[in-house]
Amino acid sequence: LTLKDLREQAGLSVKEVAARLHIATSSYYNYEQGIREIGISQVLILAELFSTTEKEVIEAQLNSHRCAQ
């Protein structure tokens, strides 16, 4: 799974997730594309938003990064 997969499973838009993280939509999009890495505090928020574990969010970030290469 990637971050995009987790977000879509949660039924959220990029804009909604970015708003909850208090970042620009483009910044969150860069997380999904594997261009930027997520900070620890954001991992905690994303785990709650996506109703999953922090470990799954981190693994999804790694998978997003791998897909970008």
Side-chain angles (χ1 to χ4, degrees):
L1 291 174
T2 64
L3 284 175
K4 182 178 179 181
D5 296 330
L6 291 178
R7 176 182 55 77
E8 289 177 343
Q9 286 177 1
L12 298 167
S13 69
V14 170
K15 186 175 181 178
E16 290 170 318
V17 175
R20 292 290 300 269
L21 293 174
H22 304 289
I23 61 174
T25 302
S26 60
S27 293
Y28 181 74
Y29 182 75
N30 286 336
Y31 294 153
E32 284 194 358
Q33 297 303 307
I35 297 168
R36 293 183 63 185
E37 291 187 19
I38 300 171
I40 295 296
S41 61
Q42 292 169 327
V43 168
L44 298 173
I45 294 168
L46 290 174
E48 184 178 329
L49 277 176
F50 299 156
S51 299
T52 190
T53 64
E54 291 85 1
K55 180 180 178 185
E56 189 166 12
V57 171
I58 292 167
E59 288 173 351
Q61 169 69 42
L62 292 171
N63 289 336
S64 295
H65 182 71
R66 285 186 198 114
C67 291
Q69 292 181 343

